[in-house]
Amino acid sequence: MAPVATTEATVLDLATSSTRAVNERLTSPEAPKTVTVTGPQGAHALACGLDSDIDVTIEGHVGYYCAGMNQHATVTVTGNAGVGVAENMMSGTVRIKGDASQSAGATAHGGLLVIDGNAAARCGISMKGVDIVVGGNIGHMSAFMGQAGRLVVLGDAGEALGDSLYEARIYVRGTVASLGADCIKKEMREEHLTELRELLDAAGFDADPSEFTRYGSARQLYNFHVDNASAY
Amino acid sequence: MNTPNPALRESATFDRGVISEIQRAAETGIYDIRGWGAKRKLPHFDDLLFLGASMSRYPLEGYREKCDTDVVLGDRNAKFPLHLDIPITIAGMSFGALSGQAKEALGRGASEVGTSTTTGDGGMTPEERGQSKNLVYQYLPSRYGMNPDDLRKADAIEIVLGQGAKPGGGGMLLGQKITERVAGMRTLPMGVDQRSACRHPDWTGPDDLAIKIIELREITNWEKPIYIKVGATRTYYDVKLAVKAGADVVVVDGMQGGTAATQDVFIEHVGIPTLAAIPQAVQALQELGVHRKVQLIVSGGIRSGADVAKAMALGADAVAIGTAALIALGDNSPRYAKHYEELGSAAGFYDDFQAGQDPAGITTQDPELSKNLDPVEGGRRLANYLRVLTMEAQTLARACGKSHLRNLEPEDLVALTVEASAMARVPLAGTTWIPGAL
C-alpha cells in the first residue's frame, strides 16, 4: 500500500487498505516510527504482533484483539476497543481513550494498558505481569486467576473481583460488588501507596492513592485441600 | 482374577478395585488424580480387521514394492505447511508434566524419523525447540509462557480447546512438581498447584475463535498452519465448527488419550472412544467438502502400526501418540520394578504422574530422577518405535494393495463386534451389515 506522508505521521487508511496490509506495514523493518491509522471501523486484529518502539495512533473504534501480543510499541486508540484488547501483551503501552469490551489485557505478561473509559467483564483475566489502569468501572470476574501484575480501577468493580487470584494486586477507588473466591481486602501500606502513585502517574490520571483499597489473594486455595472444597 | 479361597465370590459391582477406591476416598477426602489415560476396556481398533487382498484386490509385494508414508499438514492457508516423512506425530505434553530430558528425547526421536513433536501446557523449552525439526506450539487456555517470539519460532500452532482424557476440564499440575524453573515459565509461585483453565479467557465461542485465528495468523505473518485440537465428544459438530473457524488441521483426541494428571472420574467417564470419533470427524469434513484438504489427526490410545493403519483407513491423515511415546522412552519399564514397588505400584501399572516421583525420569521435575533418562538413548528408542509403527502400517497397506498409507480406506476394514461396526461404520465381518447405516 502507498502510505500518505504527512508532516506529523505516516497515515495508513483502512478505508482503502486491508488489515493485512496495514499490519505488514507496521511490522516491517522499514516501518516509520510514527503512524496514524485511519478508518478502522471495528477492524479485528489490528496492530497485533508489533515488535518495535513504533508509535501507532488508531483514529476510531477497533474490533477484537487490537494490539495483541504487543512488544515495545505504543498504541493509542481514540475510540472504543473490542474483546481482548492487548491480549497477551509483553511490553510497551496500549491506551484506549474510549471504553473496552471484555477480557481487556487477558493473559498479558507485561507493559501498561490504560483504558480511559470503562472496561467490561473479565478485565485482566489471567493477567501475568501486565499493569492495567482503568479510568472508569470494570465488569464482573475481573482479574480472574490473575497471576502477576497490577490492576488499578478508578471507578467501581463488578461481581467476583479477583476470583481465584494468585499474586496479582488490585487497587479499586470505588465500590466492589463482591469479591471472588480467595480474594480479600488488604492493608494499604506505604509501599502500596508509592506503587499506586507511580501507576497513576504512568497512566496520566490525577487521583489520590489514599482513596483506594487494595485487594489480593488470601492464598488459602494455593494447594487443593478437601477442607476448602466449599470455596470453589 | 484369582482369589485365595475358591469359595469366596467377588462382587461384580464392588470388586477389589472399587473397594480400594472407596477406602482411599474415605481416608483422604479427595478424588483420585492420576495419569496414564482410560483404563477401562473400550471399543478400540482391536475390534477391526483388515481385508487383505486375494482375488478381488491386488496386493503389493511386502518387501519390494513401494508404499509411501509422507503427509503434508496445513496447506490450506499457511505459507509453510508441514511436510512430515511419516504420518505419526508426537502429541502435546508439557514441560512441567514431563522433565526437560523427556522433552529433549521426544524432539530427538521425532526429528530422526522426520516427524513433529508438540509443546504442551507450559511454554516452549530450548531443549525441545533445539532438538525438534518440526515443533507444534500449543496455544492453550492457561497461556502459560505464551509469547509472540515462541509463536514465530514454531512450525505450526495448535489451539487446544480440549483433550481426550478430559474434555471440558482444565489441568492441574500439583505443587510438588513446581520447581523454580517450571514456576518461572508459568509466572506462578513455587510449590503452588497450577490450575489450567478449561476455556480460553478471551473468546466465548466459534465466532470468536475465527477472529482469534486471524490474530494468530497476523502475528506470524500467515506462515504457520493452525491446528485446532478437541477432545472427542460431539465430534461431528466440533469438527464442522473448527473448519468454519478457519482451522488448517483438526486434531481429535479420543478418550483413551493419556494425560499427566487429572481426575480418574474424568478420565474414565467423559468423552467417547477414538474409534467412535473418527467417522464423525470424517463425515463432517466430507460434508464441508474439505476432507484431505483440512487434515485430520487423531490421537488417543494409538499403540501399533495396526492402529495407525486403521485410523488412516477410517479417514485420518495422521495420528499422534502420547502415552505410547512415553513408554518407548522407558516409562513403566521393568528396569525400575523395585522403585515402582517402593511407590506402592508396579512396572506396567504406575500412573501417579502427578506426584513427580517417576523413577524413569520422565514425568518428574526432580533433578536426580530426571538423570535416569538419557535423552540421546531415549530419542533413539522413540525413533526405533516410530519406525516399527511405520513399517507395520506399511505392510498392512501393501497387503491391501496400497502404494501410500493415505490410500487406505474404510472398504479395507471389517468389524469384529456389532458395537465396533456401528461406531466405525464398517461392516460386521462376513456381512454387509453396518448397524445404523441408512
Side-chain angles (χ1 to χ4, degrees):
Chain A
M1 66 183 303
V4 180
T6 70
T7 54
E8 294 184 347
T10 300
V11 177
L12 306 177
D13 188 1
L14 277 160
T16 56
S17 301
S18 66
T19 300
R20 177 84 277 258
V22 168
N23 284 343
E24 267 191 316
R25 179 78 172 137
L26 295 176
T27 54
S28 157
E30 294 80 36
K33 284 290 181 191
T34 307
V35 177
T36 296
V37 178
T38 57
Q41 298 186 81
H44 301 311
L46 194 54
C48 63
L50 301 184
D51 191 20
S52 70
D53 60 357
I54 187 171
D55 190 326
V56 180
T57 299
I58 302 171
E59 294 185 343
H61 307 306
V62 295
Y64 282 48
Y65 310 127
C66 178
M69 300 207 190
N70 183 51
Q71 288 174 296
H72 312 299
T74 299
V75 179
T76 303
V77 177
T78 65
N80 302 323
V83 170
V85 62
E87 72 89 13
N88 215 89
M89 177 164 64
M90 305 300 292
S91 62
T93 302
V94 175
R95 181 171 209 117
I96 309 301
K97 293 196 170 181
D99 298 325
S101 185
Q102 63 184 1
S103 304
T107 76
H109 287 68
L112 174 66
L113 169 62
V114 182
I115 298 160
D116 287 356
N118 303 305
R122 302 187 293 176
C123 178
I125 184 169
S126 200
M127 54 195 288
K128 301 176 195 297
V130 67
D131 291 326
I132 303 174
V133 183
V134 181
N137 307 321
I138 58 172
H140 66 269
M141 294 296 285
S142 288
F144 176 54
M145 290 179 81
Q147 295 174 213
R150 286 86 56 98
L151 170 62
V152 179
V153 184
L154 280 78
D156 303 329
E159 302 277 354
L161 178 70
D163 192 288
S164 302
L165 202 63
Y166 289 95
E167 293 295 301
R169 290 196 288 281
I170 304 172
Y171 299 96
V172 181
R173 184 166 68 171
T175 61
V176 174
S178 67
L179 295 175
D182 213 27
C183 183
I184 58 171
K185 187 185 292 187
K186 292 195 169 185
E187 179 191 0
M188 278 290 266
R189 297 192 298 270
E190 189 55 41
E191 72 256 34
H192 303 115
L193 293 169
T194 303
E195 173 180 85
L196 181 53
R197 192 171 293 112
E198 289 170 356
L199 286 166
L200 290 166
D201 287 347
F205 286 111
D206 182 17
D208 181 355
S210 67
E211 296 174 356
F212 288 73
T213 303
R214 180 169 74 101
Y215 301 91
S217 176
R219 303 188 179 96
Q220 298 298 307
L221 304 180
Y222 272 16
N223 293 96
F224 185 83
H225 190 278
V226 66
D227 294 341
N228 294 328
S230 61
Y232 294 100
Chain B
M1 188 184 295
N2 292 326
T3 56
N5 181 345
L8 299 177
R9 186 177 170 198
E10 186 166 39
S11 166
T13 306
F14 291 92
D15 63 26
R16 276 168 287 183
V18 171
I19 293 169
S20 174
E21 171 53 21
I22 292 172
Q23 291 167 339
R24 191 207 59 76
E27 191 171 325
T28 66
I30 186 172
Y31 42 51
D32 187 26
I33 294 177
R34 66 171 178 83
W36 200 246
K39 293 189 174 183
R40 65 157 72 195
K41 185 163 175 56
L42 294 161
H44 198 40
F45 296 110
D46 287 345
D47 300 319
L48 302 181
L49 296 172
F50 276 107
L51 297 174
S54 292
M55 289 278 285
S56 52
R57 287 286 180 109
Y58 193 73
L60 299 184
E61 179 61 47
Y63 289 95
R64 299 281 179 180
E65 292 184 278
K66 200 170 173 62
C67 177
D68 291 327
T69 63
D70 62 307
V71 60
V72 177
L73 299 171
D75 54 353
R76 184 160 84 135
N77 295 295
K79 286 179 191 167
F80 305 128
L82 254 61
H83 294 254
L84 304 182
D85 294 339
I86 62 171
I88 309 159
T89 68
I90 306 300
M93 293 177 277
S94 77
F95 172 75
L98 302 189
S99 64
Q101 283 88 337
K103 294 299 281 181
E104 180 182 340
L106 292 172
R108 285 178 178 275
S111 297
E112 191 172 326
V113 296
T115 190
S116 62
T117 187
T118 310
T119 56
D121 200 354
M124 182 188 288
T125 62
E127 295 100 313
E128 190 171 33
R129 177 62 281 185
Q131 297 300 333
S132 300
K133 183 182 172 197
N134 296 293
L135 181 59
V136 182
Y137 188 35
Q138 285 195 329
Y139 188 76
L140 291 125
S142 72
R143 313 269 170 89
Y144 289 138
M146 172 54 57
N147 69 71
D149 294 334
D150 286 347
L151 273 176
R152 295 181 186 113
K153 283 182 202 161
D155 300 294
I157 297 164
E158 181 172 295
I159 301 173
V160 179
L161 304 187
Q163 299 173 44
K166 49 185 173 186
M172 174 70 95
L173 190 63
L174 296 179
Q176 55 261 45
K177 292 178 80 171
I178 311 305
T179 61
E180 188 175 357
R181 183 180 179 195
V182 174
M185 286 179 68
R186 300 179 183 221
T187 328
L188 283 167
M190 279 178 64
V192 170
D193 295 343
Q194 301 193 352
R195 288 166 286 171
S196 301
C198 65
R199 57 182 186 266
H200 285 261
D202 54 1
W203 61 270
T204 55
D207 292 338
D208 288 8
L209 180 56
I211 305 170
K212 171 59 70 179
I213 287 174
I214 290 171
E215 183 207 8
L216 293 173
R217 291 196 199 284
E218 285 291 320
I219 288 169
T220 55
N221 200 29
W222 290 71
E223 293 175 352
K224 325 285 184 188
I226 304 288
Y227 299 12
I228 292 178
K229 179 177 181 176
V230 295
T233 52
R234 300 173 183 86
T235 306
Y236 171 77
Y237 299 103
D238 288 341
V239 169
K240 280 205 162 180
L241 289 170
V243 172
K244 296 257 187 186
D248 297 314
V249 175
V250 179
V251 182
V252 175
D253 192 21
M255 74 172 285
Q256 291 99 329
T259 183
T262 198
Q263 304 95 323
D264 175 85
V265 70
F266 228 126
I267 297 173
E268 301 287 2
H269 298 282
V270 184
I272 63 172
T274 307
L275 184 67
I278 301 174
Q280 287 190 31
V282 172
Q283 181 188 350
L285 294 170
Q286 287 173 335
E287 286 179 3
L288 292 171
V290 296
H291 189 218
R292 306 298 187 199
K293 295 173 185 165
V294 172
Q295 288 79 30
L296 173 67
I297 300 176
V298 299
S299 53
I302 301 289
R303 309 152 301 177
S304 66
D307 292 348
V308 175
K310 289 170 184 175
M312 295 187 71
L314 290 176
D317 295 278
V319 301
I321 61 170
T323 302
L326 300 188
I327 295 170
L329 294 187
D331 185 74
N332 268 287
S333 165
R335 183 178 173 189
Y336 298 105
K338 180 168 164 260
H339 303 277
Y340 288 126
E341 285 169 19
E342 287 170 359
L343 294 169
S345 185
F349 295 85
Y350 182 69
D351 61 12
D352 285 327
F353 294 161
Q354 81 288 350
Q357 298 173 301
D358 183 358
I362 295 170
T363 60
T364 182
Q365 291 299 316
D366 184 311
E368 288 305 311
L369 292 174
S370 296
K371 287 178 188 168
N372 289 339
L373 178 66
D374 176 352
V376 176
E377 170 65 9
R380 186 191 65 78
R381 292 175 59 86
L382 177 62
N384 279 344
Y385 172 60
L386 290 167
R387 286 191 188 100
V388 169
L389 291 184
T390 306
M391 287 191 291
E392 287 178 342
Q394 283 173 301
T395 203
L396 291 169
R398 288 191 187 99
C400 295
K402 304 299 164 63
S403 60
H404 199 294
L405 289 183
R406 81 165 76 93
N407 295 338
L408 287 163
E409 56 190 324
E411 203 277 337
D412 293 317
L413 293 170
V414 293
L416 276 173
T417 67
V418 174
E419 289 82 1
S421 176
M423 290 182 189
R425 304 181 191 176
V426 298
L428 191 65
T431 78
T432 57
W433 181 48
I434 301 175
L438 298 175

